[in-house]
């Protein structure tokens, strides 16, 4: 009986697949071949709750003072309002955004925020603030994870709460109503650049909003611009910035802010 060409080719493919599998698994493979024992991960003591800072975190705000923060404009001491363990945006003239004294590259960040129960306004003018994941200096737009009241408040979806502003809408909307505390848990991977300052690898961000995944390793297209197309500008490390948005709605508050460097 003669073998048809198609049958011959199928047989040849099977033989070559078997050979490839044999090459991947040496005849004398042992369980120990795939065990890794070093380096041993450093021991970190978790916080009392998942929202509390673990032992290797840098606490940026613990309810007592804003010593870790400065004015983003002139680096003078931050002048927002600390009261009853919370940090509230000041919209007083000349105060503006605040940013961390320290600079960060790659990190895990925990932030809690609350829109006041009596919030007014609509769209982008209702509880607007922002967590700028890298504040690359006055004159730059930076990289903003939006803070906004998005509970029954319509706006462009790539500008609602937990959007990467004008680049990526959140996967879902787990926003709580005004007056309730909300959490962001963020993993930020900074962009890298070539020697000629061109982009080597983009920034990536993963965000959990109230424990729900809303940004899944999103690759940013560049800085989050209010007007125009995003672009990258070289930086090595940068402060984290909180926004005092210029709208007229009641200022929102922050608490329990901590960061873990991942360098
Ligand atoms: Mg904002």
């Amino acid at each position: 009986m003669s073998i048809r060409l198609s049958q011959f080719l199928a047989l040849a493919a099977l033989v070559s697949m078997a050979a490839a599998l044999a090459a991947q698994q040496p005849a004398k493979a042992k369980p120990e071949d795939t065990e890794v024992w070093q380096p041993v991960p450093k021991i970190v003591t978790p916080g009392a709750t998942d929202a509390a800072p673990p032992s290797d975190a840098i606490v940026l705000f613990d309810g007592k003072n804003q010593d870790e923060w400065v004015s983003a404009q002139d680096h003078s001491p931050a002048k927002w309002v600390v009261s009853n363990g919370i940090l509230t945006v000041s919209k007083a003239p000349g105060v503006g955004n605040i940013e961390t004294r320290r600079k960060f590259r790659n990190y895990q960040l925990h932030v809690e925020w609350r829109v006041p129960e009596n919030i007014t306004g609509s769209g982008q003018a209702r509880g607007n603030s922002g967590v700028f994941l890298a504040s690359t200096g006055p004159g730059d737009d930076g990289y903003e994870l939006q803070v906004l009241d998005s509970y029954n408040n319509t706006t462009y979806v790539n500008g609602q709460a937990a959007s990467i502003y004008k680049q990526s809408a959140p996967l879902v909307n787990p926003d709580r109503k005004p007056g309730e505390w909300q959490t962001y848990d963020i993993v930020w991977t900074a962009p890298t650049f070539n020697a000629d300052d061109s982009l080597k690898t983009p920034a990536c961000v993963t965000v959990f909003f109230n424990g729900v995944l809303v940004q899944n390793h999103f690759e940013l297209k560049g800085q989050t611009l209010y007007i125009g197309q995003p672009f990258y500008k070289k930086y090595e490390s940068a402060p984290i910035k909180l926004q005092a948005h210029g709208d007229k709605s009641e200022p929102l508050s922050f608490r329990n802010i901590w960061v873990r460097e991942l360098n």
Side-chain angles (χ1 to χ4, degrees):
M1 189 197 292
S2 68
I3 297 176
R4 287 214 208 118
L5 181 60
S6 62
Q7 287 172 315
F8 174 78
L9 289 175
L11 193 65
L14 274 175
V15 168
S16 83
M17 272 172 64
L21 277 174
Q24 281 169 21
Q25 304 292 352
K28 289 182 181 152
K30 301 188 296 292
E32 294 78 11
D33 295 344
T34 44
E35 294 174 0
V36 175
W37 288 71
Q38 295 287 342
V40 177
K42 189 178 70 169
I43 291 174
V44 169
T45 308
T49 68
D50 289 353
S55 59
D56 62 347
I58 297 168
V59 176
L60 296 174
F61 180 69
D62 64 0
K64 296 189 183 82
N65 60 60
Q66 50 192 320
D67 293 357
E68 287 283 341
W69 300 84
V70 295
S71 157
Q73 196 57 40
D74 60 12
H75 294 173
S76 62
K79 296 177 197 70
W80 284 12
V81 180
V82 177
S83 176
N84 295 324
I86 67 175
L87 175 65
T88 299
V89 178
S90 170
K91 294 192 179 183
V95 175
N97 303 331
I98 63 171
E99 66 183 24
T100 55
R101 284 182 192 280
R102 304 174 200 243
K103 292 181 174 181
F104 302 97
R105 180 157 180 74
N106 304 319
Y107 58 79
Q108 172 189 351
L109 175 66
H110 176 91
V111 179
E112 299 178 23
W113 55 273
R114 185 181 67 183
V115 168
E117 198 173 359
N118 62 341
I119 191 75
T120 57
S122 64
Q124 292 288 306
R126 185 178 171 90
N128 196 329
S129 181
V131 180
F132 286 79
L133 303 167
S135 174
T136 47
D140 277 5
D141 287 65
Y143 303 84
E144 183 182 11
L145 169 64
Q146 176 71 303
V147 171
L148 190 76
D149 174 27
S150 286
Y151 186 87
N152 290 334
N153 178 36
T154 301
T155 186
Y156 42 96
V157 298
N158 59 356
Q160 72 179 66
S163 63
I164 300 303
Y165 187 70
K166 294 217 170 154
Q167 292 190 32
S168 177
L171 297 169
V172 292
N173 180 6
D175 203 358
R176 297 189 174 116
K177 64 177 186 257
E180 296 187 8
W181 284 99
Q182 327 247 10
T183 63
Y184 280 166
D185 287 287
I186 304 154
V187 182
W188 173 253
T189 304
T192 63
F193 296 86
N194 297 305
D196 67 356
D197 293 359
S198 62
L199 183 69
K200 189 172 178 188
T201 56
C204 283
V205 69
T206 294
V207 181
F208 291 86
F209 181 11
N210 295 330
V212 181
L213 182 69
V214 287
Q215 299 288 348
N216 186 9
H217 200 70
F218 174 70
E219 284 188 2
L220 279 81
K221 301 178 186 88
Q223 295 189 29
T224 53
L225 275 56
Y226 178 45
I227 298 171
Q229 296 304 316
F231 63 90
Y232 275 102
K233 199 166 108 183
K234 183 176 183 177
Y235 81 93
E236 295 294 336
S237 62
I240 295 165
K241 183 168 73 182
L242 301 177
Q243 186 180 37
H245 192 267
D247 71 79
K248 297 282 182 271
S249 67
E250 293 70 12
L252 51 74
S253 302
F254 293 89
R255 72 176 185 189
N256 191 22
I257 309 174
W258 51 264
V259 64
R260 296 181 58 245
E261 293 182 297
L262 305 174
N263 295 324

